[in-house]
Amino acid sequence: MKKIMLLSATVLALAGCKGDPQLGKDSVDKVLKAMTLEEKVHFVIGTGMAGFGGESAVVGATKNIVPGAAGTTYPIERLGIPSIVLADGPAGLRIDPTREGDENTYYCTHFPIGTLLASTWNQELVESVGKAMGEEVHEYGADVYLAPALNIHRHPLNGRNFEYYSEDPVVAGKTAAAYVRGVQSNDVGTSIKHFAYNNQETNRTGNNAVISPRAQREIYLKGFEITVKESDPWTVMSSYNKINGTYTSQSRDLITTVLRDEWGFKGLVMTDWFGGDNGAEQIAAGNDMLQPGTDLQYQQIMDAIKDGSLSEDELNICVRRCLELVARSPKAKGYAYSNKPDLKAHAAVTRQSALEGMVLLENNGVLPLKDVKNVAVFGCTSFDFIAGGTGSGNVNRAYTVSLLDGLKNAGFNVDESNKEATLKHIADEDAAFKASLTDQLSAFYPTPRPSELVPSAAELAASARANDVAIITFGRNSGEFFDRTSADFSLSAKEKELLAKVTAAFHAKGKKVVVVLNVGGVIETASWKSVPDAILLAWQAGQEGGNSVTDILTGAKSPSGKLPMTFPVNLMDHASSANFPIDSDTGVYFTNRREDVGQKDVDVTKYEEGIYVGYRWFDKQNLPVSYPFGYGLSYTTFEYSAPAVANDGKTVTAKVTVKNTGSVAGKEAVQLYVSAPAGTLDKPVKELKAYGKTKELAPGESQELTLTFPTSELASFDEEASAWKVDAGTYTFQFGASSRDVRCTATAEAAASETPANRVLLMK
Ligand code: BGC
């Protein structure tokens, strides 16, 4: 409240002064010089946020610019500084869909989750999705889109993996860069997040990630480095956690030395919402903007300036970057947004992009469906499709197409005999769950998936007689604030029973069963994957999900998605399982509730596995996996030939020809892995360095793909020397259909090189 009054008082007192420089007309320098200390400190923090009680709007004079946006910047009318609007992402713009006293609606398109986009292995397509998202940002009056999110999938149970891309930094970085280019082509900004090491939700605002400099640089920072260098995002959002003892938002090593000095980032850094614990240290670190802004931060900065621990010059550096951001925003340019983005066109974008990221895991001759008219659907999720995850990554969409509706839209006769009972069961369990929640954070709890209903043997036999095929959907939801549990990773007893009984009934009649996984992250598959006839990993495919799945099932498109992470046999096979807060005593618990539950030590997460994350670990240990990184089936087959690699010392250029040797059209994602010669540093068996996707190849058609990357990317980080080192010798380049399906190889020589880096971000 105090804050709102302060804001209005300042605006009133200063509005209307003659001769003040104006942002946009006068230089940033001039405007900066004209600002009072108080204005500067207000300006680097946001305009505050109301309590959690359902009111998601920004408080103060800027509250209603775009209702439901995550934050706004502090306006200074006398200097012509408008308030700009920051709104989530990443699966689409998150704003309120309706407004008081306004008949219009403000729904946004719910696009596929980040993990699905990464599974397309198609940077051009991701860019086109970004372009559509950015149009909604622009036309709904927001200025900076708080997306994309690209933290590494260090462990399958991280609750926000669905927003993130991959266990591999090249996939994460390339996907994010394409996304940023697409969004920013609309003259709006992005905020790549969460910089960095935000790999768990458990105690996320207090957790200290203890990570070796090598693992930081090669795994956790690399994706951000690629994104900064290849797409020039307007802003970066620092994360909640600490790195080796320091909050990332207060780490000058991270935000200034690495991000700006080493990578050349020129934009603005903002905190995650309420992140860190010291506003003055954030400013000193080069974290330019504090969101959503608190009175405490105002005081901390003022006190530090008064006692000399922070200089006004240091503050000015951040103020200047805030001014530069505001100056380039649509708001400052007076863009007359329409509030009418092309939602119809974007529905088509989400439908098309979703089907390209779905991964066919198994196919025993059942797909694409042939001679099928009557379809039986099972599993609650078939009727209640999950468009995306919860928390700030949710989108207020107008509708979600369920699998049931998708199949009906395509003209199938869908057996709806269990529809009503299932919908009632879902609603009952949902209501019971909501009634069980009492605390003020209830709005954030993801509703657990309903327990499965298993029809009787007689019902199943009748269904198998009447229908040509059965489809079972298993769903998983997750979201911000909570890590997943090991129970969520496995199929429940009811799910297993449903799978076994439906399969037995349909197989008894010589009919097939397809499982659709409507999930946001990795689940256990090894124990049951041979039971059904096909498994389609649909991910959470946005609001058109049911239509996209149907397009794959019917063969309107051949699947071409591939896994951006490993599906392990057992959860504990991941090296990171030794240091991940799996199954806290309460199952799920909220930020900073550690003391309440007498939790084992979750304040520190030691990344003892170092660089051995995902396939790097499984390959090193030669461990069996359920599905390897990069895996995905198609309705056609591809042959790789004529591999060639050249290294001119600056760029590695790899070529391979891909031919469609099957009988239907399809696209193929080709992965380029490198194995280094034995040298001074321990090296992974192989590492992904580049990838590309063919166009849709007709049967018999070929395409030569050219994949390139900078020679310097052959380096590993030598901690002793604090330098990126390329060892001299012969490098083997492997063209893979997956990380465990290498189709051909070529070699090239590289000379030794060493590029020094700052000795920072050390473990204490
Ligand atoms: C999330 C961010 C999000 C911000 C604003 C935070 O809780 O971690 O990803 O952008 O809220 O909604």
Side-chain angles (χ1 to χ4, degrees):
M1 195 46 158
K2 194 169 141 221
K3 174 96 197 193
I4 306 171
M5 283 161 52
L6 253 176
L7 171 66
S8 350
T10 317
V11 171
L12 281 177
L14 298 177
C17 294
K18 293 244 166 68
D20 287 331
Q22 298 293 298
L23 189 69
K25 294 197 188 88
D26 297 291
S27 69
V28 162
D29 264 344
K30 247 185 158 175
V31 175
L32 178 57
K33 278 206 189 88
M35 291 172 85
T36 65
L37 177 62
E38 288 72 20
E39 282 173 334
K40 287 177 188 172
V41 180
H42 274 305
F43 188 51
V44 296
I45 67 178
T47 49
M49 186 192 259
F52 283 121
E55 188 197 351
S56 63
V58 176
V59 296
T62 56
K63 172 178 172 171
N64 287 322
I65 306 176
V66 180
T72 50
T73 63
Y74 184 84
I76 306 175
E77 208 176 304
R78 75 174 184 98
L79 299 171
I81 302 174
S83 177
I84 70 167
V85 175
L86 321 172
D88 285 309
L93 182 68
R94 186 174 66 89
I95 59 173
D96 289 345
T98 53
R99 296 175 186 176
E100 241 180 72
D102 182 345
E103 302 263 282
N104 298 307
T105 57
Y106 300 82
Y107 287 107
C108 296
T109 305
H110 199 315
F111 293 91
I113 57 168
T115 302
L116 185 150
L117 291 181
S119 306
T120 67
W121 297 73
N122 184 339
Q123 295 161 55
E124 234 173 82
L125 178 131
V126 173
E127 189 166 333
S128 69
V129 174
K131 192 160 187 274
M133 289 176 174
E135 204 237 337
E136 296 192 17
V137 176
H138 203 208
E139 290 310 320
Y140 276 135
D143 299 277
V144 177
Y145 182 45
L146 305 173
L150 63 143
N151 295 86
I152 291 294
H153 288 181
R154 172 177 176 256
H155 192 270
L157 298 189
N158 176 22
R160 290 185 91 173
N161 275 353
F162 73 97
E163 294 184 62
Y164 303 153
Y165 295 131
S166 176
E167 67 188 22
D168 180 87
V170 171
V171 177
K174 296 276 177 190
T175 307
Y179 182 110
V180 168
R181 287 192 297 270
V183 173
Q184 292 192 171
S185 68
N186 295 278
D187 291 326
V188 293
T190 53
S191 196
I192 65 173
K193 66 190 187 184
H194 308 88
F195 188 58
Y197 331 101
N198 191 176
N199 306 109
Q200 68 183 59
E201 286 301 279
T202 302
N203 195 29
R204 65 178 183 168
T205 58
N207 181 254
N208 179 26
V210 176
I211 317 178
S212 72
R214 179 173 179 188
Q216 289 181 58
R217 299 224 178 220
E218 292 184 19
I219 306 291
Y220 298 100
L221 297 179
K222 183 53 82 180
F224 286 97
E225 180 183 356
I226 293 170
T227 314
V228 165
K229 290 182 175 168
E230 296 189 4
S231 67
D232 204 7
W234 287 17
T235 82
V236 169
M237 185 190 293
S238 51
S239 57
Y240 282 128
N241 48 278
K242 296 175 186 169
I243 173 67
N244 293 339
T246 307
Y247 276 112
T248 57
S249 59
Q250 290 161 212
S251 168
R252 195 170 166 84
D253 281 359
L254 180 67
I255 284 172
T256 296
T257 309
V258 171
L259 176 65
R260 298 186 198 279
D261 301 348
E262 289 188 12
W263 301 348
F265 178 66
K266 297 270 179 293
L268 170 139
V269 177
M270 68 177 78
T271 60
D272 197 347
W273 267 230
F274 304 104
D277 68 353
N278 188 317
E281 282 181 23
Q282 288 170 323
I283 296 298
N287 192 117
D288 311 296
M289 186 183 280
L290 282 42
Q291 282 290 344
T294 64
D295 291 344
L296 177 65
Q297 289 165 333
Y298 182 89
Q299 217 41 62
Q300 286 167 333
I301 298 171
M302 275 301 188
D303 290 349
I305 288 190
K306 274 184 205 135
D307 71 21
S309 53
L310 180 74
S311 71
E312 196 163 341
D313 284 350
E314 285 174 290
L315 175 65
N316 286 346
I317 293 174
C318 296
V319 174
R320 173 187 300 281
R321 288 196 283 247
C322 293
L323 283 171
E324 285 166 351
L325 175 69
V326 173
R328 75 197 298 200
S329 69
K331 202 67 79 281
K333 292 179 182 154
Y335 181 67
Y337 50 95
S338 62
N339 277 326
K340 297 224 169 336
D342 194 344
L343 295 178
K344 213 165 159 221
H346 298 169
V349 171
T350 183
R351 177 171 177 167
Q352 288 306 315
S353 58
L355 61 92
E356 198 160 327
M358 292 181 181
V359 185
L360 185 62
L361 297 177
E362 299 287 340
N363 189 14
N364 204 353
V366 56
L367 297 177
L369 298 174
K370 284 172 278 281
D371 307 321
V372 167
K373 191 72 202 137
N374 301 320
V375 182
V377 293
F378 299 95
C380 293
T381 312
S382 291
F383 302 89
D384 182 27
F385 236 44
I386 306 166
T390 60
S392 61
N394 183 30
V395 181
N396 293 311
R397 61 199 166 270
Y399 62 88
T400 305
V401 178
S402 66
L403 178 63
L404 179 78
D405 292 337
L407 290 166
K408 280 164 54 179
N409 292 344
F412 289 103
N413 281 335
V414 188
D415 184 340
E416 297 193 53
S417 50
N418 50 358
K419 178 178 165 181
E420 252 167 53
T422 308
L423 289 178
K424 182 174 179 311
H425 167 72
I426 297 171
D428 288 350
E429 288 205 353
D430 193 32
F433 174 72
K434 294 218 166 91
S436 74
L437 296 174
T438 47
D439 69 38
Q440 58 163 32
L441 304 167
S442 300
F444 294 104
Y445 286 84
T447 308
R449 292 310 298 158
S451 58
E452 291 300 351
L453 296 170
V454 183
S456 69
E459 286 166 330
L460 284 174
S463 177
R465 260 195 311 276
N467 294 294
D468 304 316
V469 71
I471 303 178
I472 309 173
T473 306
F474 292 130
R476 289 289 181 280
N477 209 352
S478 70
E480 187 177 356
F481 306 111
F482 308 97
D483 286 320
R484 295 171 58 210
T485 62
S486 58
D488 194 62
F489 180 75
S490 304
L491 289 194
S492 68
K494 278 275 177 216
E495 285 172 325
K496 284 185 189 152
E497 187 188 340
L498 181 68
L499 174 64
K501 289 189 169 162
V502 170
T503 310
F506 276 73
H507 283 182
K509 293 273 173 305
K511 292 171 182 175
K512 308 261 190 187
V513 177
V514 178
V515 168
V516 172
L517 298 177
N518 184 198
V519 299
V522 178
I523 64 165
E524 190 277 323
T525 48
S527 70
W528 59 269
K529 65 184 181 183
S530 59
V531 178
D533 302 287
I535 305 175
L536 177 67
L537 174 57
W539 295 122
Q540 292 165 350
Q543 68 186 37
E544 288 281 331
N547 285 334
S548 305
V549 170
T550 304
D551 289 340
I552 296 281
L553 298 179
T554 59
K557 281 281 174 210
S558 179
S560 65
K562 292 191 177 182
L563 295 176
M565 80 294 278
T566 307
F567 270 50
V569 174
N570 301 298
L571 184 62
M572 298 312 284
D573 291 346
H574 270 280
S576 56
S577 283
N579 286 290
F580 188 87
I582 300 171
D583 299 345
S584 66
D585 299 339
T586 52
V588 290
Y589 58 100
F590 192 70
T591 310
N592 291 338
R593 231 186 248 182
R594 189 174 64 94
E595 298 84 353
D596 299 352
V597 295
Q599 179 56 27
K600 46 194 174 210
D601 189 5
V602 291
D603 269 337
V604 176
T605 301
K606 294 182 180 158
Y607 288 38
E608 280 168 349
E609 70 283 359
I611 59 168
Y612 291 105
V613 177
Y615 67 88
R616 286 169 171 78
W617 170 250
F618 290 96
D619 284 357
K620 181 183 163 71
Q621 298 300 105
N622 210 2
L623 276 173
V625 297
S626 189
Y627 299 109
F629 175 81
Y631 169 87
L633 300 173
S634 164
Y635 293 154
T636 186
T637 50
F638 299 96
E639 189 181 275
Y640 293 33
S641 64
V645 179
N647 173 24
D648 66 8
K650 261 194 107 178
T651 307
V652 174
T653 306
K655 291 181 194 252
V656 70
T657 299
V658 179
K659 183 175 180 189
N660 182 347
T661 49
S663 56
V664 297
K667 296 182 180 182
E668 171 73 339
V670 175
Q671 302 149 41
L672 181 67
Y673 296 92
V674 65
S675 299
T680 47
L681 292 176
D682 175 38
K683 291 269 193 176
V685 176
K686 61 177 174 306
E687 293 183 279
L688 186 81
K689 291 294 167 188
Y691 60 90
K693 200 166 194 177
T694 65
K695 62 179 182 176
E696 186 162 83
L697 296 173
E701 196 181 358
S702 298
Q703 184 185 351
E704 186 186 61
L705 276 186
T706 302
L707 308 172
T708 60
F709 67 91
T711 304
S712 55
E713 291 298 319
L714 291 173
S716 296
F717 192 76
D718 182 337
E719 292 184 356
E720 243 165 71
S722 195
W724 288 97
K725 263 193 189 166
V726 178
D727 285 324
T730 307
Y731 287 76
T732 306
F733 295 87
Q734 305 169 31
F735 296 88
S738 86
S739 62
R740 294 207 170 169
D741 183 9
V742 170
R743 298 296 182 83
C744 50
T745 62
T747 59
E749 303 294 313
S753 74
E754 190 166 323
T755 313
N758 291 288
R759 201 175 283 280
V760 291
L761 297 166
L762 305 177
M763 299 213 292
K764 284 171 203 141

